[in-house]
Structure formats: structure tokens, C-alpha cells
Amino acid sequence: MRLGGNYRTQMWDKQKEAFLPSTPGLGMHVEVKDPDGKVVLSRQYGSEGRFTFTSHTPGEHQICLHSNSTRMALFAGGKLRVHLDIQVGEHANNYPEIAAKDKLTELQLRARQLLDQVEQIQKEQDYQRYREERFRLTSESTNQRVLWWSIAQTVILIVTGIWQMRHLKSFFEAKKLV
């Protein structure tokens, strides 16, 4: 699955009491981890930028943005605001940039967009099949446990009933009521 994001940072200005665009010296380190905890992307960027990556593992990913000057800004009583826009699938591709780079005609660009959409739909279907399989396995496991718990309760109830009948019979025989 193709993922991407745009971010922009702003620093707090005490005199103007507003967030202003960050200075060019401010840098952001972007780190992305897949559901297995493996690092997919780890790269240093400027105060604003765009990152993209391709993940082959379905599930929840972690995107961490670290500023290279957060500690200094916090000691000075400053604040840092980060605007983050995440795009997933074919939305992560910048088609005008691709058309300019590959010198594609309008028709070729549209064909590429459609192919990307078909690929995205196929990946989404695969992911839904994967989730359905996991849910089915969980349901079957739960069903199995409920069945065995019911059988155990029934056996315990029958054993308790038999024990109570024997105990009462021996009690009545001891009291010579039977």
C-alpha cells in the first residue's frame, strides 16, 4: 500500500502571540514503523516537506515526527505546531509531478491513474480477505471454548446432582427414615 504525508511546522512567537512559519534551520525526522515494528522509513527533512513510502504489511502503522530543536524550544518556553496531512493509496501519488517527470500525455496519465486505482482496490480486497480470515479464526476459537465450557458445566452439574442424591440417601439411611 502506498502512503504519504505532507507536514508543515510553525513556531510560537511571544511578541506577536501567534504561530509563525518555522525558520529554515528547523528540521524534522520522520520515522515510520509497520505493524511488526520494523522501520519502513527513517529520514531527516526540513521544516516542511513531503514523505512517501510503500508498505507491504497490512495493519496499523506508526508515524513519528521528531523535531531537531524541540528541546531548545521547550526550554525557552516555546511551542511547536505541526500540521500533518496523511494520504493513503492512489491519493499519495502526485500525478502532475509524475506526468512532468515521465513526459506522459493526458491519456497516458489517466491510464496510470486508473491502473493505480485498480491496484488499490485489489489491495483493499486482499486486506479485507485477510481481516475476514482472522475474524473467522477468532470466532471459531471462541465457539470451541464456549462449547467446552458448556460441556464442563453440564458434567459438573450432573456430578454434583449424583453426589447430592447419594449424600441424602446415606443421610436418610443413617436417620433410619428410609
Side-chain angles (χ1 to χ4, degrees):
M1 178 177 286
R2 186 106 175 121
L3 292 123
N6 296 318
Y7 70 90
R8 180 173 45 95
T9 59
Q10 294 178 316
M11 292 288 291
W12 178 256
D13 189 342
K14 289 183 183 177
Q15 283 93 17
K16 296 183 181 179
E17 293 191 6
F19 283 100
L20 300 176
S22 297
T23 57
L26 178 71
M28 295 295 286
H29 180 80
V30 178
E31 184 175 271
V32 180
K33 292 182 180 178
D34 68 4
D36 299 329
K38 296 177 188 165
V39 176
V40 177
L41 174 74
S42 179
R43 192 165 161 207
Q44 188 74 27
Y45 293 93
S47 60
E48 62 182 78
R50 175 177 172 79
F51 61 91
T52 58
F53 64 95
T54 303
S55 176
H56 303 289
T57 308
E60 187 174 307
H61 289 66
Q62 293 180 0
I63 299 175
C64 299
L65 299 171
H66 307 278
S67 170
N68 64 355
S69 66
T70 303
R71 291 186 188 114
M72 293 183 291
L74 291 176
F75 283 130
K79 299 176 188 173
L80 179 69
R81 177 186 284 173
V82 179
H83 298 272
L84 180 62
D85 179 30
I86 304 279
Q87 292 121 9
V88 179
E90 78 273 358
H91 303 295
N93 294 333
N94 188 352
Y95 286 107
E97 186 180 295
I98 292 171
K101 186 176 86 174
D102 294 344
K103 296 182 178 92
L104 300 175
T105 65
E106 184 72 30
L107 184 61
Q108 289 172 325
L109 180 64
R110 185 66 183 137
R112 180 170 287 186
Q113 287 176 328
L114 290 173
L115 285 172
D116 288 346
Q117 286 177 346
V118 167
E119 185 181 338
Q120 181 63 31
I121 290 168
Q122 188 177 17
K123 287 181 180 179
E124 184 66 28
Q125 287 176 335
D126 290 342
Y127 178 63
Q128 291 301 330
R129 282 189 197 103
Y130 169 76
R131 286 189 57 198
E132 181 183 356
E133 181 182 351
R134 277 188 33 214
F135 181 73
R136 184 178 46 78
L137 291 173
T138 303
S139 297
E140 288 175 359
S141 171
T142 304
N143 244 357
Q144 194 76 20
R145 290 177 183 169
V146 167
L147 173 70
W148 284 110
W149 178 249
S150 299
I151 290 172
Q153 282 183 324
T154 304
V155 167
I156 290 172
L157 190 63
I158 290 171
V159 167
T160 305
I162 291 171
W163 178 79
Q164 284 180 341
M165 287 190 320
R166 287 187 166 201
H167 184 71
L168 282 174
K169 183 179 177 187
S170 65
F171 173 77
F172 287 133
E173 285 175 351
K175 294 288 185 183
K176 298 186 183 177
L177 295 174
V178 178

